[in-house]
Structure formats: C-alpha cells, structure tokens
Amino acid sequence: MFCYQCQETAGCKGCTISGVCGKQPDVAAMQDLLIYVTKGLSAAATQLREENSSVPAETSRMILTNLFTTITNANFDKEAIISRIHETLKRKEELLSSVKNQDSLPEAAFWNGKEETFEEKASSVGVLSTENEDIRSLRELITYGLKGLAAYAKHAAALGKENPEINAFLEHTLADVLNDSLSADDLTALALKTGEYGVQVMALLDEANTQAYGNPEITKVKISAGNRPGILISGHDLRDLEMLLEQTKDTGVDVYTHSEMLPAHYYPAFKKYSHFVGNYGNAWWKQKEEFESFHGPILMTTNCIVPPKDSYKDRLYTTGAAGYPGCPHIPGGVGETKDFSAIIEHAKHCQPPKSIEEGEITGGFAHAQVLALADQIVEAVTSGAIKKFVVMAGCDGRAASRNYYTDFAKALPKDAVILTAGCAKYKYNKLNLGDINGIPRVLDAGQCNDSYSLAVIALKLKEVFGLDDINQLPIIYNIAWYEQKAVIVLLALLSLGVKNIHLGPTLPAFLSPNVASVLTENFGIAGIGTVEDDMKLFFGE
Ligand code: FSO
Ligand code: SF4
C-alpha cells in the first residue's frame, strides 16, 4: 500500500505497511480501486454532459459518497468498499452505453473486472502509478481537495441542497486528474479552481444548515454528563442528528455530541430538544477512552473513526459514508428517513455516561452572530483593545507536536482573539482565555466547513475598514490540518487571496519540494516553528 493523504502519515512520508490510522493494506487497495473507478465514472459523466445529455443526480451522489468513503478514517469496511466498486462499475457501464464519442475517454472509463481481479488492478492504479513526483503531488492535492469538497457537498445534499454545477466541476476535475496531457502549470491552476469551488460548496452547506436549523448563536454547552442512558453522536452530519433527536424524544434516552458534532448545539432548531444535553469529551482521537466511559451506544455519522477497542466495539454504529467491519451500519440515502430504533433500544440497556468533566464551553460565532456583534468588534479594534485576530481553525490529532497549539493559545498576547472552526478548537477551548470588553477570546464558528464563516467575517471586516486587500487585516492564519477536508479549506482560502497561511504541525507529505515552493513563493505558505519563535514572528515579542 501507499497512502500519504493525511498529516499523520508514517514518518511524514507515506504509510506503506499499514496505516497509522489503522487502515490495512487490503482496505487501502480497495480504496485505491474505488477512486480509480470513480474517476472512470466521472469521465463518462463528463463526456455525456459535453454531448448535452443529462447525468442523473443519483450518479453525482454516488461519486460524492465514493470520495467521502475514502477520506481518512471514514470507512474501514472492505466489503462495503467492494460493493461500492461493483455499483460504480455497473453505473459506469450504463452511462457508457449512452456516450456517443468514446475516443477521448481514459482507460479508467472502460475498465471492468470481476471481484477476483480487483486486487491486481488496485496495485497498478494507486498514488505511485504517477511517476513524476510533481505531477503526482498536484494530482493528489486536487484529488484530496475534491474529497473534502465531496464530503461537504454530500452534507448539503442531505439537506436538499444540490448544485449541479459544483458536481459537474468535481466530476470534470476528477477525470482531468487522469489526463496525461495536463502540465504542472495546468494542474496548479486546476488546484486553485478547486479552491474556488470549495468556497462555493461551503457556502452551499452554510445555506443548507442555516435554512434548515437557523443561524448559530452564542450558546453555552454543558460538558458534564446526566444520569439517564445516552447516545453519543459524532461526525459532521446535522441531518442525521436531527433524525436521531426526533426519534429519541420521550424515550428516556439523552443525546450527547462528540468532537465535530459539538457545534450542533449552536443552532436554534436543536435547542427545542430537552434531551439534547451537551457535549461529551474532546476531539476524535480521544475516542478510545471517551467512548469506553460513555457506556452507551455511539453513532459515527462521518470520519473520524479510530479502530474501536473490544470494550465498546459492540456499541459502535456507523451511517452514511462511515463504516467499520463488525459494527452495524444504519442505511439511508438522500431524502430517506433513517431508522435509529436499534441504537435507541441498545441505549436503554446501558448505564448512563460517566461524567469526565464539569462546566460549559461557549460557541456559536458563525458569520451571522459575529456580524450582529460587528459594532462591538469594530470598536474594540479601533480602540486598540483587540490588536490581532488569529485564525486557528482546522483539525486536532494524536501527535504530541500538536500541543504547540495549546501552548500557542496560552502564549498569545491578551489583546489577541482566536477565530476557530473544526476540531482544532479542543486544543484550547477549555482554557478559559477570558474576554476583551465582553468578546470571548476564543470565537468558535463551528465545524471545519464553517471556516467559510471565518472567510465571510474577514471579507466583512475588510469592507468595514475600507481596505483593498484581505491581507491588510490584522489577521494571522495559523491552521492545523489532519485530513482532506482541511485540504479543501486551505485551497478555498488560497482562492480568496489569503496569503501567509501557516500550516502545521507538519506540511503535507504529498507536497513535493517543487510544489511546496510554488505555494511558498506565490502564497507565502509556511510551516510552524516553536511557540517562542512564532510569537516573535507574529507579534514581535
Ligand atoms: Fe476534525 Fe476529523 Fe472536521 Fe476533519 S473530526 S479532523 S478536517 O474529520 O473534518 O475537523
Ligand atoms: Fe496513513 Fe493517513 Fe493514509 Fe491512514 S489516511 S493510511 S494514516 S496517510
């Protein structure tokens, strides 16, 4: 196997024996093949569009889910991945039969094979099948960006928001990744274009979420546990949460969020559920201890799954693109109501969660809430009470080097405010960093896709202060990344013209030295140093 798509890749180079995430070589091979056949399907779909034929919405949804399935630690279930390959090949044959001009299609659009050939085929279509390291780097940068884009598009689709233009771009670009005639310059341009669509997809998801559930508002979320049995819901899918809350009403079972589901508490629509009690635990990588002490069933709606311990494996359920062998998967596509009764029955026979923390955390600072506070914020900036904003969005992870972010947050001058989104927040959201004239020093916009809110806020501040360039704002970008949703967030920020983003705890292994230097020269992308050095760099102190 060879996989280097996430920040935790072995030795900062690539996982070759098995994944640091727990992905085994046989699963990695089937994921490689799933990506390959999905590129083939995308090429057929793109050609059909060029011939002015329509592509069924179901095909685009299949492509989104396939990409999502291969995101880091989303799906470890080989059988589920194999069945997606079969379905994709079947759909591709159907599409292909309608394509008139097949001459320009890549080999992936024609390949088909029986299951016994899957392994052999997979070994020739993985990341290393592109020999030139710069072309490989750019192709993977685009593919990973598209995986993140697909995840967000799928969440929006679950709420009835689909944009055929975004899907057509995604499919066209995925097919282009196989196009040998594209040069490094072409691929660099395509990566930036992917970022533009990243902005669009995050805007679409923002619209889907806020139209369905209202605008996030300042909210205090309890972090202690109650004394009734509970279900813990993790991942990013708010529609799944809504269905679970509806079905657990009056059952005597409480619902808690974990990791990236925490921001659900900020939405007005979920406040009406009195059994939606709070957030349990921290970021995804702490789940081994936290799922054990939770005592009740856990529903993983997306990544990030850590291979479960036997002590709670029988309590782990997956849905959507997520999967783990031996753990029940709750089915249900776009527009369908999922049946969570098995999880609810399971919960009724479990002990209540063990409380592991006391107190509350505050969040809900997505764009509408921050813009409602605009006068207060502008006044604080004008008076000098707030000197800098520091965007510390992104992901948390296992690496000890990520303690940098806790230390960095603690070391910040008291007149600096952190803008955050994504699970990176767990490195500092319980530090009680205080406030500036009533404005909390950690403003949590929500999930990683709510980085869009941070961009909206920055653009608004640029307008209010009458600046020509977003980079003239007193904003520092010190972003932590882990998996491919962070890649689309990064490409989106670059497409908005944001410069000098610091990315850590390490730069992506999939950036070849040449591609990394292009990003450094054109966008000022840099890594991180020590907290001390970075304080001097950013604040001169
Ligand atoms: Fe975190 Fe995982 Fe949201 Fe990621 S839970 S790491 S960037 O899935 O998607 O922030
Ligand atoms: Fe390794 Fe990350 Fe790939 Fe898992 S997703 S195999 S940890 S590079």
Side-chain angles (χ1 to χ4, degrees):
M1 69 178 280
F2 183 84
C3 181
Y4 64 173
Q5 66 176 350
C6 82
Q7 189 274 328
E8 295 190 355
T9 195
C12 262
K13 288 197 156 49
C15 294
T16 54
I17 298 165
S18 69
V20 173
C21 60
K23 183 161 81 176
Q24 297 303 308
D26 56 340
V27 174
M30 291 308 107
Q31 289 191 358
D32 285 349
L33 188 60
L34 180 58
I35 288 292
Y36 179 74
V37 299
T38 304
K39 286 173 180 164
L41 174 61
S42 297
T46 302
Q47 182 59 29
L48 267 185
R49 285 194 188 93
E50 269 161 29
E51 294 173 5
N52 291 322
S53 300
S54 61
V55 175
E58 258 319 308
T59 299
S60 293
R61 288 179 194 150
M62 176 183 270
I63 290 168
L64 296 181
T65 308
N66 286 357
L67 290 181
F68 200 168
T69 300
T70 68
I71 281 186
T72 299
N73 60 27
N75 201 314
F76 295 85
D77 188 345
K78 185 179 173 187
E79 292 312 314
I81 298 165
I82 288 176
S83 93
R84 296 206 74 84
I85 296 171
H86 284 302
E87 285 164 23
T88 306
L89 287 171
K90 186 163 167 268
R91 186 68 58 87
K92 191 255 306 174
E93 294 303 332
E94 287 162 12
L95 252 56
L96 209 51
S97 65
S98 309
V99 173
K100 293 190 196 95
N101 178 5
Q102 304 197 348
D103 297 349
S104 57
L105 290 177
E107 190 252 337
F110 300 107
W111 184 81
N112 206 333
K114 293 213 162 34
E115 197 168 316
E116 46 276 27
T117 66
F118 282 7
E119 214 173 307
E120 195 197 336
K121 184 65 187 172
S123 67
S124 66
V125 297
V127 171
L128 298 178
S129 61
T130 302
E131 277 171 26
N132 179 301
E133 74 163 352
D134 297 328
I135 299 289
R136 182 197 306 150
S137 173
L138 289 161
R139 285 180 168 179
E140 295 310 312
L141 172 63
I142 294 166
T143 306
Y144 303 153
L146 292 176
K147 288 186 183 192
L149 194 154
Y152 295 152
K154 182 175 181 286
H155 290 312
L159 293 169
K161 294 275 177 199
E162 291 175 279
N163 181 332
E165 200 203 317
I166 295 179
N167 291 338
F169 168 80
L170 180 147
E171 291 159 31
H172 192 294
T173 307
L174 202 56
D176 269 351
V177 166
L178 289 175
N179 186 343
D180 286 329
S181 66
L182 294 189
S183 66
D185 285 349
D186 297 333
L187 291 168
T188 305
L190 205 48
L192 294 177
K193 194 91 193 146
T194 303
E196 284 173 30
Y197 280 86
V199 177
Q200 286 191 38
V201 83
M202 284 191 273
L204 183 73
L205 180 52
D206 182 77
E207 187 187 314
N209 286 337
T210 54
Q211 282 186 6
Y213 308 121
N215 272 304
E217 53 194 18
I218 304 178
T219 306
K220 288 190 189 312
V221 182
K222 255 171 63 175
I223 56 174
S224 56
N227 48 21
R228 305 198 309 171
I231 296 172
L232 189 58
I233 178 167
S234 192
H236 306 69
D237 198 305
L238 296 182
R239 173 77 185 120
D240 285 338
L241 172 70
E242 182 188 12
M243 289 186 275
L244 182 67
L245 287 171
E246 272 301 310
Q247 293 173 35
T248 41
K249 261 196 311 200
D250 307 320
T251 60
V253 171
D254 288 333
V255 175
Y256 294 80
T257 51
H258 189 259
S259 190
E260 273 285 72
M261 201 55 93
L262 156 68
H265 292 279
Y266 311 155
Y267 287 90
F270 298 129
K271 294 187 176 167
K272 64 174 183 269
Y273 299 101
S274 58
H275 64 295
F276 188 34
V277 289
N279 188 68
Y280 188 86
N282 294 279
W284 65 273
W285 63 277
K286 291 260 186 90
Q287 63 190 250
K288 279 196 175 160
E289 307 89 78
E290 294 170 357
F291 286 6
E292 193 159 77
S293 63
F294 184 75
H295 298 158
I298 304 119
L299 175 63
M300 299 297 303
T301 64
T302 63
N303 57 325
C304 294
I305 302 173
V306 175
K309 285 166 77 171
D310 288 343
S311 58
Y312 63 82
K313 191 175 172 194
D314 65 333
R315 291 190 272 118
L316 194 76
Y317 293 75
T318 63
T319 191
Y324 199 86
C327 295
H329 184 83
I330 311 290
V334 169
E336 292 173 1
T337 302
K338 296 182 182 180
D339 177 4
F340 293 124
S341 56
I343 309 180
I344 298 166
E345 275 317 300
H346 191 156
K348 288 180 183 165
H349 300 104
C350 294
Q351 293 294 313
K354 176 182 161 205
S355 231
I356 50 174
E357 289 170 300
E358 291 296 324
E360 299 174 323
I361 39 184
T362 305
F365 296 94
H367 56 88
Q369 178 64 83
V370 173
L371 298 185
L373 298 171
D375 288 350
Q376 219 179 317
I377 292 171
V378 169
E379 155 65 24
V381 174
T382 320
S383 71
I386 294 178
K387 291 228 169 53
K388 288 256 195 246
F389 294 96
V390 191
V391 172
M392 291 178 75
C395 321
D396 198 5
R398 287 172 267 234
S401 55
R402 287 183 188 262
N403 292 336
Y404 162 93
Y405 295 103
T406 307
D407 298 339
F408 184 89
K410 282 185 191 163
L412 281 172
K414 300 283 172 277
D415 50 18
V417 169
I418 296 174
L419 302 176
T420 194
C423 61
K425 65 172 81 62
Y426 287 99
K427 278 283 186 271
Y428 43 79
N429 68 346
K430 295 172 185 169
L431 291 179
N432 294 320
L433 293 178
D435 65 274
I436 298 173
N437 301 343
I439 302 161
R441 287 190 57 228
V442 178
L443 298 179
D444 176 21
Q447 298 180 335
C448 44
N449 46 290
D450 295 309
S451 300
Y452 168 73
S453 263
L454 304 182
V456 172
I457 294 164
L459 291 169
K460 187 72 193 170
L461 289 176
K462 177 187 140 204
E463 187 188 311
V464 171
F465 290 113
L467 304 172
D468 316 318
D469 183 347
I470 200 168
N471 295 297
Q472 292 168 331
L473 285 165
I475 304 183
I476 292 161
Y477 292 83
N478 194 359
I479 291 178
W481 82 285
Y482 170 50
E483 42 86 6
Q484 298 79 55
K485 293 180 200 167
V487 177
I488 194 62
V489 171
L490 175 72
L491 292 176
L493 290 175
L494 296 185
S495 82
L496 289 171
V498 175
K499 296 243 160 62
N500 303 323
I501 296 174
H502 289 256
L503 199 60
T506 53
L507 288 179
F510 57 81
L511 296 181
S512 68
N514 286 334
V515 173
S517 51
V518 167
L519 292 179
T520 307
E521 277 157 31
N522 295 325
F523 300 101
I525 296 243
I528 56 171
T530 63
V531 170
E532 215 184 2
D533 287 349
D534 287 352
M535 282 298 141
K536 282 195 200 116
L537 178 71
F538 296 135
F539 302 98
E541 46 187 75

